[in-house]
Amino acid sequence: MKHISQGLPDHYTMLVNGSQYGLRALSYPADLPLVHRWMNTPHVIHQWQMNKPLNELATFLEKMIVDDHQRLYLILLDETPVGYLEVYECHRDRLARYYESSMDDMGWHLLFGETWFEGHGHLRSVLAMINQFIFDALPNTSRILFEPDSSVTAFKRVAGDLAYTDAGRLAFPEKDATLYICERERYFSAKSK
């Protein structure tokens, strides 16, 4: 049985405000040292709690790669890796225990690994690229979900611009999250204005 996430391409690029943003499927084990470095930077440790020794992160990534409900990517700026992205099928993810999603709903988790990339206005562009990527690749997907820690304020500032609506709080074991939902029609309607 072919799963929804398997319909996602290995590469994607999009020009936003004069910069080329892109995605490249994670190459394992080649990308392990880079992801390990990112997971051990102070701004990532707090959110991801994956500051593990290299062999433990390798075990984690191996499990993630063979889990067919998701795809792992590196986020690129002009071909330079700047972050990590997980795109997943919501109904087959732990999110389904907290929120009733439909079979075609997709979700994502991301981190910006490079400190020089953070705080320079890239978030809105990266999120627009992720939305476009998912909606382009998966025509039956009508909603994209994201559940960041409620203490993260950066996403709150750009959510409305990208057609995400606040759908309330979720109490995960490791975080108090805010669930955001982006509906396809609303996204493309807002984009055309």
Side-chain angles (χ1 to χ4, degrees), residues 132 161 163 184-193:
Q132 196 71 40
D161 297 343
R184 177 186 287 271
E185 284 186 26
R186 190 166 182 260
Y187 173 72
F188 283 106
S189 174
K191 189 178 169 199
S192 67
K193 291 180 182 177

Side-chain angles (χ1 to χ4, degrees), residues 54-160:
L54 189 66
N55 63 333
E56 287 184 38
L57 182 62
T59 300
F60 168 79
L61 286 177
E62 285 181 359
K63 289 177 183 176
M64 297 287 283
I65 290 165
V66 299
D67 182 344
D68 65 3
H69 92 284
Q70 63 193 349
R71 295 288 311 271
L72 311 181
Y73 294 92
L74 292 186
I75 300 166
L76 311 172
L77 173 64
D78 298 323
E79 299 297 320
T80 300
V82 294
Y84 168 80
L85 175 72
E86 300 169 355
V87 180
Y88 63 90
E89 299 169 34
C90 297
H91 76 282
R92 297 181 62 217
D93 190 76
R94 77 169 185 156
L95 178 60
R97 296 186 64 226
Y98 299 87
Y99 179 79
E100 189 174 340
S101 58
S102 75
M103 293 291 284
D104 293 316
D105 288 350
M106 297 299 289
W108 51 266
H109 300 120
L110 73 82
L111 69 83
F112 291 154
E114 297 298 338
T115 53
W116 60 263
F117 186 76
E118 278 208 325
H120 294 283
H122 294 287
L123 180 61
R124 184 177 283 106
S125 298
V126 169
L127 299 184
M129 177 199 53
I130 292 169
N131 282 357
Q132 196 71 40
F133 168 67
I134 293 171
F135 285 141
D136 283 351
L138 304 173
N140 292 329
T141 293
S142 60
R143 297 188 316 167
I144 300 172
L145 285 65
F146 176 54
E147 19 73 38
D149 189 304
S150 297
S151 66
V152 176
T153 58
F155 190 74
K156 291 177 189 177
R157 292 192 298 267
V158 300

Side-chain angles (χ1 to χ4, degrees), residues 9-23:
D10 289 342
H11 296 88
Y12 186 81
T13 60
M14 181 174 163
L15 195 63
V16 183
N17 299 326
S19 294
Q20 181 177 287
Y21 293 88
L23 297 173

Side-chain angles (χ1 to χ4, degrees), residues 47 147-153 156 168-170 175-180:
Q47 294 299 318
E147 19 73 38
D149 189 304
S150 297
S151 66
V152 176
T153 58
K156 291 177 189 177
R169 295 284 177 99
L170 301 175
K175 67 180 179 181
D176 174 44
T178 301
L179 178 65
Y180 291 95

